[in-house]
Amino acid sequence: MEKPIVIALDGPAASGKGTLARLIADQYALAYLDTGVLYRGVAWLLLEDGNDPNDAALAAKAAKNFDIEKIENADIRTRKVGAAASVVAANADVRAALLEFQRRFANEPKPGLKGAVLDGRDIGTVVCPDATVKFFVTASADVRARRRWLELSPSRPTLEEATVYKDLVERDARDAARDDAPMTRADDAELLDTTHLSIDAAFAAARRVIDGVTRRCS
Ligand code: DC
């Protein structure tokens, strides 16, 4: 059987990695996993039960019992859940509990698909260190905050851009400073700075890299 193609995209919040991951998945017939959903899901379940995301034992238990179906209709995209996700993500037991699911998703392609794209913070470094292609997608904090604010403000007209900026910067700092699987660029990851790039231009740049690597490997 042919080895599955695995594309890893890591980077800070609102860098554009999710949009890119979806486009890449469509272009190359790959399954897509937004791994942030898993951490947001665990955080949402804890908050829903009135628990503190800082409670390490409860967070670990929620991650061990995690099932994606439990959060099917949950509103996991709120600021509160984002911040709580970053807190539970610093818990090594939570990360260990979610690791196997992510690796299986990457290595066992769905019927008819050639592999998978995963986006997150530690895909190229921890989850799939042998990924076919790795990207570290980033952009300036100002630009990322503007993008996220434009995304959220239609449904939250009172939300201020400065608040979104503060949330992002706080979350990035926590995600990058934790001991276990911190957000960082893998040595062999291609840096993709989208600060001044349209999504089309970023996608074209990513395609050039992927086509170059897959041509060499085939
Ligand atoms: O990508 P996101 O904003 O949905 O992720 C929410 C939080 O989950 C983020 O602040 C850090 C954490 N996360 C992580 O630690 N590792 C991943 N692979 C994905 C997300």
Side-chain angles (χ1 to χ4, degrees), residues 10-14 17 34-40 76-77 81-90 95 102 119-123 127 148 171-172 174-175 178 180-181 183:
D10 292 304
K17 63 188 189 306
D34 169 359
T35 64
V37 165
L38 309 177
Y39 295 93
R40 285 176 182 268
I76 59 167
R77 298 282 162 203
V81 174
S86 170
V87 170
V88 301
R95 303 200 74 83
Q102 297 173 76
D119 82 40
R121 305 293 187 289
D122 63 337
I123 308 303
V127 178
R148 184 54 51 90
R171 202 139 67 83
D172 290 351
R174 200 186 294 117
D175 294 341
R178 66 182 177 228
D180 191 31
M183 169 176 71

Side-chain angles (χ1 to χ4, degrees), residues 149 159-167:
W149 176 72
L159 182 65
E160 301 208 3
E161 192 175 332
T163 310
V164 176
Y165 180 92
K166 189 170 155 283
D167 282 354

Side-chain angles (χ1 to χ4, degrees), residues 124-143:
T125 49
V126 174
V127 178
C128 304
D130 297 327
T132 321
V133 185
K134 300 178 187 178
F135 292 100
F136 192 80
V137 187
T138 189
S140 73
D142 282 339
V143 163

